[in-house]
């Protein structure tokens, strides 16, 4: 059976191509307002959530000497990607409609309005979060994270909470701001 090609209505800006081509674990985007940071990052998370081959290449890049069994163990986990904004209200206002729009062409997705989350047919998830209650961010392991408007997120949030969530899955992080 031929694999169906899904067209996502996204054309990355020139600066975003470098982000999408990278397998590095850490990235920082410092760009002017309306440069398309949130759009690029949400598309980056979505690609990671639906494209297991990309995630495998990323892990092989980061762990060139990894044992095949360990790699398969990492790839077998359901992956969660968070886009964190300074407040939950801001996440809903700025990014929720955008995430719904970019995920809509993918057959079998589930959009959860109350959780601001898209679940893909792979079982992987992209979710919007607010940093207005940093302790509520404790818990899940993350395969990818993007603190957006990072300078407005409480200082201890990344170091004490979110950085730990990336450890188990060797998750990537994209810091974004103006």
């Amino acid at each position: 059976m031929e694999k169906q090609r899904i067209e996502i209505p996204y054309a990355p800006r020139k600066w975003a191509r470098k982000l999408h081509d990278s397998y590095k674990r850490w990235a920082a985007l410092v760009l002017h307002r309306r440069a398309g940071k949130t759009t690029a990052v949400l598309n980056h998370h979505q690609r990671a959530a639906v494209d297991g081959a990309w995630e495998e290449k990323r892990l092989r890049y980061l762990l060139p000497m990894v044992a095949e069994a360990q790699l398969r163990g990492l790839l077998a986990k359901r992956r969660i990607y968070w886009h964190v904004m300074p407040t939950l209200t801001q996440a809903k206002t700025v990014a929720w409609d955008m995430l719904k729009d970019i995920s809509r062409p993918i057959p079998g997705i589930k959009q959860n309005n109350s959780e601001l989350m898209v679940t893909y047919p792979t079982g992987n998830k992209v979710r919007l979060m607010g940093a207005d209650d940093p302790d509520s961010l404790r818990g899940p392991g993350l395969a990818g994270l993007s603190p957006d408007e990072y300078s407005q997120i409480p200082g201890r949030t990344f170091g004490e909470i979110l950085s730990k969530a990336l450890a188990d899955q060797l998750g990537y992080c994209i810091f974004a701001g103006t």
Side-chain angles (χ1 to χ4, degrees), residues 53-71:
W54 181 86
E55 181 65 5
E56 181 174 346
K57 288 176 188 172
R58 186 184 77 81
L59 290 171
R60 286 188 187 280
Y61 171 85
L62 295 172
L63 302 166
M65 306 300 268
V66 69
E68 197 64 27
Q70 185 181 5
L71 179 67

PDB file of all heavy atoms in Angstrom, residues 53-71:
ATOM      1  N   ALA A  53      10.966   8.802  11.565  1.00  0.00           N
ATOM      2  CA  ALA A  53      12.287   8.754  10.928  1.00  0.00           C
ATOM      3  C   ALA A  53      13.112   9.982  11.298  1.00  0.00           C
ATOM      4  O   ALA A  53      14.324   9.880  11.524  1.00  0.00           O
ATOM      5  CB  ALA A  53      12.141   8.637   9.411  1.00  0.00           C
ATOM      6  N   TRP A  54      12.463  11.152  11.356  1.00  0.00           N
ATOM      7  CA  TRP A  54      13.181  12.355  11.755  1.00  0.00           C
ATOM      8  C   TRP A  54      13.673  12.221  13.197  1.00  0.00           C
ATOM      9  O   TRP A  54      14.820  12.540  13.505  1.00  0.00           O
ATOM     10  CB  TRP A  54      12.301  13.603  11.621  1.00  0.00           C
ATOM     11  CG  TRP A  54      13.042  14.851  11.998  1.00  0.00           C
ATOM     12  CD1 TRP A  54      13.837  15.594  11.176  1.00  0.00           C
ATOM     13  CD2 TRP A  54      13.096  15.479  13.279  1.00  0.00           C
ATOM     14  NE1 TRP A  54      14.380  16.654  11.873  1.00  0.00           N
ATOM     15  CE2 TRP A  54      13.937  16.602  13.178  1.00  0.00           C
ATOM     16  CE3 TRP A  54      12.517  15.200  14.511  1.00  0.00           C
ATOM     17  CZ2 TRP A  54      14.214  17.440  14.248  1.00  0.00           C
ATOM     18  CZ3 TRP A  54      12.785  16.033  15.590  1.00  0.00           C
ATOM     19  CH2 TRP A  54      13.625  17.145  15.453  1.00  0.00           C
ATOM     20  N   GLU A  55      12.816  11.728  14.073  1.00  0.00           N
ATOM     21  CA  GLU A  55      13.206  11.566  15.477  1.00  0.00           C
ATOM     22  C   GLU A  55      14.351  10.558  15.610  1.00  0.00           C
ATOM     23  O   GLU A  55      15.277  10.759  16.388  1.00  0.00           O
ATOM     24  CB  GLU A  55      12.007  11.138  16.323  1.00  0.00           C
ATOM     25  CG  GLU A  55      12.305  10.979  17.793  1.00  0.00           C
ATOM     26  CD  GLU A  55      12.691  12.260  18.529  1.00  0.00           C
ATOM     27  OE1 GLU A  55      12.657  13.356  17.932  1.00  0.00           O
ATOM     28  OE2 GLU A  55      13.059  12.164  19.713  1.00  0.00           O
ATOM     29  N   GLU A  56      14.322   9.502  14.826  1.00  0.00           N
ATOM     30  CA  GLU A  56      15.415   8.526  14.859  1.00  0.00           C
ATOM     31  C   GLU A  56      16.729   9.173  14.401  1.00  0.00           C
ATOM     32  O   GLU A  56      17.776   8.972  15.024  1.00  0.00           O
ATOM     33  CB  GLU A  56      15.083   7.319  13.986  1.00  0.00           C
ATOM     34  CG  GLU A  56      16.176   6.271  14.022  1.00  0.00           C
ATOM     35  CD  GLU A  56      15.823   4.996  13.282  1.00  0.00           C
ATOM     36  OE1 GLU A  56      14.639   4.779  12.943  1.00  0.00           O
ATOM     37  OE2 GLU A  56      16.748   4.195  13.059  1.00  0.00           O
ATOM     38  N   LYS A  57      16.685   9.967  13.338  1.00  0.00           N
ATOM     39  CA  LYS A  57      17.898  10.660  12.863  1.00  0.00           C
ATOM     40  C   LYS A  57      18.420  11.616  13.929  1.00  0.00           C
ATOM     41  O   LYS A  57      19.628  11.729  14.136  1.00  0.00           O
ATOM     42  CB  LYS A  57      17.613  11.422  11.577  1.00  0.00           C
ATOM     43  CG  LYS A  57      17.426  10.538  10.371  1.00  0.00           C
ATOM     44  CD  LYS A  57      17.063  11.361   9.152  1.00  0.00           C
ATOM     45  CE  LYS A  57      16.688  10.477   7.989  1.00  0.00           C
ATOM     46  NZ  LYS A  57      16.153  11.260   6.865  1.00  0.00           N
ATOM     47  N   ARG A  58      17.505  12.319  14.601  1.00  0.00           N
ATOM     48  CA  ARG A  58      17.905  13.251  15.652  1.00  0.00           C
ATOM     49  C   ARG A  58      18.613  12.513  16.782  1.00  0.00           C
ATOM     50  O   ARG A  58      19.693  12.928  17.234  1.00  0.00           O
ATOM     51  CB  ARG A  58      16.680  13.999  16.193  1.00  0.00           C
ATOM     52  CG  ARG A  58      17.008  15.102  17.190  1.00  0.00           C
ATOM     53  CD  ARG A  58      15.740  15.730  17.757  1.00  0.00           C
ATOM     54  NE  ARG A  58      15.125  14.892  18.761  1.00  0.00           N
ATOM     55  CZ  ARG A  58      15.509  14.831  20.044  1.00  0.00           C
ATOM     56  NH1 ARG A  58      16.521  15.551  20.470  1.00  0.00           N
ATOM     57  NH2 ARG A  58      14.883  14.049  20.899  1.00  0.00           N
ATOM     58  N   LEU A  59      18.056  11.403  17.211  1.00  0.00           N
ATOM     59  CA  LEU A  59      18.672  10.644  18.304  1.00  0.00           C
ATOM     60  C   LEU A  59      20.003  10.028  17.877  1.00  0.00           C
ATOM     61  O   LEU A  59      20.950   9.998  18.657  1.00  0.00           O
ATOM     62  CB  LEU A  59      17.704   9.582  18.820  1.00  0.00           C
ATOM     63  CG  LEU A  59      16.500  10.134  19.574  1.00  0.00           C
ATOM     64  CD1 LEU A  59      15.482   9.028  19.850  1.00  0.00           C
ATOM     65  CD2 LEU A  59      16.918  10.824  20.865  1.00  0.00           C
ATOM     66  N   ARG A  60      20.088   9.552  16.657  1.00  0.00           N
ATOM     67  CA  ARG A  60      21.363   9.003  16.164  1.00  0.00           C
ATOM     68  C   ARG A  60      22.428  10.096  16.071  1.00  0.00           C
ATOM     69  O   ARG A  60      23.600   9.854  16.324  1.00  0.00           O
ATOM     70  CB  ARG A  60      21.186   8.323  14.810  1.00  0.00           C
ATOM     71  CG  ARG A  60      20.479   6.988  14.892  1.00  0.00           C
ATOM     72  CD  ARG A  60      20.510   6.270  13.547  1.00  0.00           C
ATOM     73  NE  ARG A  60      19.700   5.085  13.561  1.00  0.00           N
ATOM     74  CZ  ARG A  60      20.071   3.915  14.072  1.00  0.00           C
ATOM     75  NH1 ARG A  60      21.263   3.793  14.626  1.00  0.00           N
ATOM     76  NH2 ARG A  60      19.270   2.877  14.025  1.00  0.00           N
ATOM     77  N   TYR A  61      22.022  11.302  15.713  1.00  0.00           N
ATOM     78  CA  TYR A  61      22.949  12.432  15.679  1.00  0.00           C
ATOM     79  C   TYR A  61      23.485  12.723  17.078  1.00  0.00           C
ATOM     80  O   TYR A  61      24.680  12.955  17.269  1.00  0.00           O
ATOM     81  CB  TYR A  61      22.239  13.665  15.100  1.00  0.00           C
ATOM     82  CG  TYR A  61      23.042  14.943  15.209  1.00  0.00           C
ATOM     83  CD1 TYR A  61      23.994  15.275  14.252  1.00  0.00           C
ATOM     84  CD2 TYR A  61      22.855  15.816  16.277  1.00  0.00           C
ATOM     85  CE1 TYR A  61      24.731  16.444  14.343  1.00  0.00           C
ATOM     86  CE2 TYR A  61      23.592  16.990  16.383  1.00  0.00           C
ATOM     87  CZ  TYR A  61      24.525  17.296  15.419  1.00  0.00           C
ATOM     88  OH  TYR A  61      25.260  18.445  15.531  1.00  0.00           O
ATOM     89  N   LEU A  62      22.586  12.729  18.060  1.00  0.00           N
ATOM     90  CA  LEU A  62      22.980  13.045  19.434  1.00  0.00           C
ATOM     91  C   LEU A  62      23.727  11.905  20.119  1.00  0.00           C
ATOM     92  O   LEU A  62      24.547  12.149  20.998  1.00  0.00           O
ATOM     93  CB  LEU A  62      21.748  13.414  20.263  1.00  0.00           C
ATOM     94  CG  LEU A  62      21.016  14.687  19.837  1.00  0.00           C
ATOM     95  CD1 LEU A  62      19.713  14.831  20.599  1.00  0.00           C
ATOM     96  CD2 LEU A  62      21.896  15.907  20.033  1.00  0.00           C
ATOM     97  N   LEU A  63      23.412  10.684  19.724  1.00  0.00           N
ATOM     98  CA  LEU A  63      24.002   9.496  20.356  1.00  0.00           C
ATOM     99  C   LEU A  63      24.598   8.578  19.286  1.00  0.00           C
ATOM    100  O   LEU A  63      24.088   7.484  19.039  1.00  0.00           O
ATOM    101  CB  LEU A  63      22.925   8.723  21.132  1.00  0.00           C
ATOM    102  CG  LEU A  63      22.183   9.462  22.226  1.00  0.00           C
ATOM    103  CD1 LEU A  63      20.941   8.693  22.651  1.00  0.00           C
ATOM    104  CD2 LEU A  63      23.098   9.700  23.409  1.00  0.00           C
ATOM    105  N   PRO A  64      25.687   8.988  18.652  1.00  0.00           N
ATOM    106  CA  PRO A  64      26.204   8.200  17.527  1.00  0.00           C
ATOM    107  C   PRO A  64      26.640   6.783  17.897  1.00  0.00           C
ATOM    108  O   PRO A  64      26.639   5.897  17.048  1.00  0.00           O
ATOM    109  CB  PRO A  64      27.382   9.032  17.015  1.00  0.00           C
ATOM    110  CG  PRO A  64      27.743   9.944  18.128  1.00  0.00           C
ATOM    111  CD  PRO A  64      26.497  10.171  18.918  1.00  0.00           C
ATOM    112  N   MET A  65      26.967   6.545  19.151  1.00  0.00           N
ATOM    113  CA  MET A  65      27.441   5.227  19.566  1.00  0.00           C
ATOM    114  C   MET A  65      26.377   4.440  20.341  1.00  0.00           C
ATOM    115  O   MET A  65      26.675   3.447  20.970  1.00  0.00           O
ATOM    116  CB  MET A  65      28.698   5.378  20.437  1.00  0.00           C
ATOM    117  CG  MET A  65      29.796   6.194  19.781  1.00  0.00           C
ATOM    118  SD  MET A  65      30.365   5.485  18.237  1.00  0.00           S
ATOM    119  CE  MET A  65      31.696   4.511  18.834  1.00  0.00           C
ATOM    120  N   VAL A  66      25.135   4.869  20.280  1.00  0.00           N
ATOM    121  CA  VAL A  66      24.081   4.246  21.075  1.00  0.00           C
ATOM    122  C   VAL A  66      23.806   2.815  20.597  1.00  0.00           C
ATOM    123  O   VAL A  66      23.863   2.525  19.403  1.00  0.00           O
ATOM    124  CB  VAL A  66      22.783   5.092  21.035  1.00  0.00           C
ATOM    125  CG1 VAL A  66      22.145   5.058  19.662  1.00  0.00           C
ATOM    126  CG2 VAL A  66      21.797   4.625  22.083  1.00  0.00           C
ATOM    127  N   ALA A  67      23.530   1.945  21.558  1.00  0.00           N
ATOM    128  CA  ALA A  67      23.163   0.576  21.236  1.00  0.00           C
ATOM    129  C   ALA A  67      21.772   0.574  20.603  1.00  0.00           C
ATOM    130  O   ALA A  67      20.902   1.365  20.974  1.00  0.00           O
ATOM    131  CB  ALA A  67      23.162  -0.279  22.498  1.00  0.00           C
ATOM    132  N   GLU A  68      21.581  -0.314  19.649  1.00  0.00           N
ATOM    133  CA  GLU A  68      20.308  -0.376  18.925  1.00  0.00           C
ATOM    134  C   GLU A  68      19.127  -0.589  19.879  1.00  0.00           C
ATOM    135  O   GLU A  68      18.066   0.010  19.719  1.00  0.00           O
ATOM    136  CB  GLU A  68      20.360  -1.497  17.876  1.00  0.00           C
ATOM    137  CG  GLU A  68      19.297  -1.398  16.823  1.00  0.00           C
ATOM    138  CD  GLU A  68      19.402  -0.165  15.942  1.00  0.00           C
ATOM    139  OE1 GLU A  68      20.488   0.399  15.743  1.00  0.00           O
ATOM    140  OE2 GLU A  68      18.344   0.251  15.443  1.00  0.00           O
ATOM    141  N   ALA A  69      19.306  -1.413  20.895  1.00  0.00           N
ATOM    142  CA  ALA A  69      18.219  -1.680  21.860  1.00  0.00           C
ATOM    143  C   ALA A  69      17.846  -0.413  22.629  1.00  0.00           C
ATOM    144  O   ALA A  69      16.660  -0.144  22.862  1.00  0.00           O
ATOM    145  CB  ALA A  69      18.624  -2.784  22.828  1.00  0.00           C
ATOM    146  N   GLN A  70      18.848   0.379  23.002  1.00  0.00           N
ATOM    147  CA  GLN A  70      18.574   1.625  23.717  1.00  0.00           C
ATOM    148  C   GLN A  70      17.842   2.624  22.812  1.00  0.00           C
ATOM    149  O   GLN A  70      16.902   3.280  23.234  1.00  0.00           O
ATOM    150  CB  GLN A  70      19.862   2.242  24.245  1.00  0.00           C
ATOM    151  CG  GLN A  70      19.633   3.476  25.093  1.00  0.00           C
ATOM    152  CD  GLN A  70      20.931   4.108  25.590  1.00  0.00           C
ATOM    153  OE1 GLN A  70      22.023   3.676  25.219  1.00  0.00           O
ATOM    154  NE2 GLN A  70      20.802   5.116  26.404  1.00  0.00           N
ATOM    155  N   LEU A  71      18.267   2.695  21.554  1.00  0.00           N
ATOM    156  CA  LEU A  71      17.614   3.588  20.599  1.00  0.00           C
ATOM    157  C   LEU A  71      16.155   3.170  20.396  1.00  0.00           C
ATOM    158  O   LEU A  71      15.249   3.999  20.417  1.00  0.00           O
ATOM    159  CB  LEU A  71      18.362   3.578  19.263  1.00  0.00           C
ATOM    160  CG  LEU A  71      17.761   4.466  18.172  1.00  0.00           C
ATOM    161  CD1 LEU A  71      17.887   5.936  18.545  1.00  0.00           C
ATOM    162  CD2 LEU A  71      18.433   4.195  16.843  1.00  0.00           C
TER     163      LEU A  71
END
